[in-house]
Amino acid sequence: MSLRLIPAFSLILLATPAAADTRYLAFDPSDRVTTALTRGVTLEVERGLFGGVSVRRIISTSARGAATLTRGGPDQARAALPAGAAESAVYSIAPEGDGRGLARALCPGADETFLVLGRIRIGRPMVMQAAGRWPDGRFRYCTTLSYVWRGEWALPPRSTAPQTP
């Protein structure tokens, strides 16, 4: 019986990367603090085979700028959030390029900045919590960013132009 399941599981594992797709989800700020810090964002997300979403980049909707996010980070970033915060997925902001500016805007004075997100759903509001690690090694809560759903960006169709020899 178990020998018959091996090919089925192998197909599922091989199909996972092929089934993943990239989407661009846009959100508008829903309060003054969020407007002052970001003015709206677009998230580049990768949706896996079973519908799970992982954020790859955060892109400014109103200005130039994008920061790479890496899923994972210290549990202390989640522990630093205010009581009642429901967000649990920790993302590290890459310090290269625009990530450095975003990190400084969200947590001035921190050595590292982390975003803690809840479940991202199409058509639903989204909350991001920012926490940072300071030079003394302590983690502190920085700010809450609240967004309302704006829409999904449509990607241009793939080119069907013939290849030139």
Side-chain angles (χ1 to χ4, degrees), residues 11 25 40 92:
L11 286 174
L25 310 177
S92 301

Side-chain angles (χ1 to χ4, degrees), residues 9-162:
F9 285 122
S10 297
L11 286 174
I12 289 173
L13 291 174
L14 290 174
T16 301
D21 69 321
T22 301
R23 302 176 92 170
Y24 295 87
L25 310 177
F27 295 88
D28 287 329
S30 65
D31 61 28
R32 278 182 351 141
V33 171
T34 305
T35 301
L37 289 171
T38 65
R39 294 192 187 147
V41 295
T42 297
L43 301 179
E44 179 183 326
V45 300
E46 185 173 292
R47 190 174 65 179
L49 178 65
F50 298 108
V53 171
S54 181
V55 180
R56 294 181 0 193
R57 286 191 317 152
I58 183 169
I59 305 162
S60 174
T61 304
S62 63
R64 286 187 173 185
T68 301
L69 301 180
T70 305
R71 187 165 189 145
D75 286 334
Q76 295 94 326
R78 187 180 311 111
L81 301 182
E87 296 71 35
S88 62
V90 179
Y91 287 87
S92 301
I93 300 174
E96 295 82 30
D98 296 325
R100 179 178 301 222
L102 176 64
R104 285 183 180 165
L106 296 176
C107 291
D111 284 346
E112 291 180 278
T113 303
F114 305 92
L115 289 175
V116 186
L117 285 70
R119 189 169 175 202
I120 298 169
R121 295 187 233 166
I122 292 175
R124 303 285 179 130
M126 175 187 61
V127 174
M128 289 185 196
Q129 305 279 354
R133 185 182 60 79
W134 263 253
D136 64 2
R138 293 185 56 188
F139 285 80
R140 294 181 182 97
Y141 162 76
C142 298
T143 191
T144 299
L145 303 172
S146 301
Y147 297 96
V148 294
W149 173 252
R150 179 176 186 178
E152 182 173 356
W153 291 95
L155 295 177
R158 293 186 181 196
S159 174
T160 57

